[in-house]
Every structure is written in structure tokens, then in C-alpha cells.
């Protein structure tokens, strides 16, 4: 090969391998799959250099450029794809929320029906609810320092001592 193999052989096989590998991908893939393209170039160039008894330690693609318009178009396409995926997710989420709302409404309807049936069968449920409400009111009044309850015969009297 001679002493100047790096000037005669390497540029030649470098161009050959680069053209062969790049031809396997479209321009969008060259941008989006840069790591895979770089790996393929490195592997192919290392094998080709071995035919000339040249051992390559490393191969790096340091500058891969396309026109601004093309790069912007690729980026716009990727953004549009991400927006489409986001829209699909939002639709799926809305459908799940709709299903949850329907299930909740059906449950509330069934509960209301059961309460209605219980009221028809016995007014004890109404009395239970009245007692529970009175208990809640009593607990609230007991915690208030400014309200005093004075029982007097059949009437109740609440005083605001504040």
C-alpha cells in the first residue's frame, strides 16, 4: 500500500462505503435514525478497511447536513405525528371518562331507587337520616364557643354569646 495509504486508500473506501450506506436510507431516516446510520457506516468501513489490512479504531460521522427547508419539513412532520398521538390519547381519555361517568350515574340511580323502595317499605330511614343530621348539627354547635343551647320545654333556644 505504501506509506501514503491514508491519502490514497482511506478517502476512496470512505466515499465508497458512505455512498453505499447512505443509499440504503431515505433522507428522513438519515436524520431520525442517525445513530443506526453511523453504526452501519462504522461496521461497513471497518470491514472494507480490513481488506486492505487497515485496522480502524473508530469511525465518527461528525457533520451531516441537509437544507434548512428539508430539515424543517422533517421536524414539522415529527411534531405533527406527536400531535396526532396526543390527540388519540385525549380521545381515549375522554372515552374512558365518559364510561366512568355513565357507570357512576347508573350506580347513583340504583342507589336512589333502593332508597325510594326503602322509604316506601318503612319510614325508619327518614327518621335515621333526621337523627344523623341532628347529630351533625349538635357536633358543630358543640365545637362553637359562641353558641349556647338552652332547652326550655317544647321549644329550643340558641343564643349567640359572641
Amino acid at each position: 500500500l505504501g506509506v501514503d495509504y491514508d491519502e490514497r486508500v482511506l478517502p476512496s473506501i470512505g466515499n465508497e462505503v458512505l455512498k453505499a450506506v447512505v443509499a440504503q436510507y431515505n433522507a428522513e431516516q438519515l436524520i431520525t435514525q442517525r445513530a443506526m446510520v453511523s453504526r452501519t457506516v462504522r461496521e461497513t468501513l471497518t470491514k472494507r478497511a480490513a481488506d486492505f489490512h487497515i485496522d480502524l479504531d473508530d469511525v465518527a460521522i461528525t457533520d451531516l447536513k441537509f437544507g434548512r427547508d428539508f430539515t424543517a419539513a422533517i421536524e414539522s412532520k415529527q411534531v405533527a405525528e406527536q400531535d396526532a398521538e396526543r390527540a388519540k390519547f385525549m380521545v381515549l381519555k375522554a372515552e374512558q371518562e365518559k364510561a366512568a361517568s355513565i357507570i357512576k350515574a347508573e350506580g347513583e340511580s340504583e342507589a336512589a331507587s333502593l332508597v325510594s323502595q326503602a322509604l316506601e317499605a318503612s319510614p325508619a330511614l327518614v327518621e335515621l337520616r333526621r337523627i344523623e343530621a341532628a347529630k351533625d348539627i349538635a357536633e358543630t354547635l358543640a365545637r362553637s364557643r359562641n353558641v349556647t343551647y338552652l332547652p326550655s320545654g317544647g321549644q329550643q333556644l340558641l343564643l349567640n354569646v359572641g
Side-chain angles (χ1 to χ4, degrees):
L1 288 177
V3 182
D4 60 345
Y5 70 92
D6 59 331
E7 293 176 8
R8 291 184 336 170
V9 177
L10 288 180
S12 174
I13 64 173
N15 285 334
E16 173 190 323
V17 167
L18 197 56
K19 287 178 183 178
V21 171
V22 167
Q24 297 173 13
Y25 299 93
N26 65 35
E28 179 183 351
Q29 291 171 325
L30 290 173
I31 292 173
T32 60
Q33 301 175 8
R34 189 179 194 130
M36 185 169 63
V37 172
S38 181
R39 185 178 61 247
T40 305
V41 167
R42 181 175 43 256
E43 291 169 356
T44 307
L45 189 56
T46 301
K47 288 177 187 173
R48 185 72 174 108
D51 294 342
F52 293 93
H53 306 288
I54 298 173
D55 187 21
L56 298 177
D57 289 334
D58 191 23
V59 176
I61 298 176
T62 57
D63 193 20
L64 180 63
K65 291 185 181 177
F66 292 95
R68 279 186 235 163
D69 293 340
F70 182 77
T71 303
I74 296 297
E75 290 173 358
S76 294
K77 180 181 176 187
Q78 289 176 334
V79 168
E81 288 172 353
Q82 290 171 353
D83 289 344
E85 287 298 317
R86 189 176 302 115
K88 286 180 188 176
F89 172 76
M90 296 302 285
V91 167
L92 183 62
K93 181 180 175 185
E95 288 173 353
Q96 289 175 348
E97 288 174 353
K98 177 183 171 185
S101 295
I102 290 172
I103 291 170
K104 180 180 177 186
E106 288 172 348
E108 289 173 353
S109 173
E110 186 174 335
S113 175
L114 291 173
V115 168
S116 176
Q117 290 173 3
L119 287 175
E120 289 175 2
S122 170
L125 182 61
V126 174
E127 184 64 23
L128 176 65
R129 299 283 190 214
R130 190 180 70 73
I131 292 170
E132 288 173 349
K135 180 181 172 191
D136 290 342
I137 292 169
E139 286 177 1
T140 302
L141 291 175
R143 283 187 297 237
S144 176
R145 294 182 296 155
N146 297 336
V147 177
T148 303
Y149 174 70
L150 299 174
S152 66
Q155 296 182 344
Q156 290 87 15
L157 179 63
L158 290 177
L159 294 177
N160 188 354
V161 195

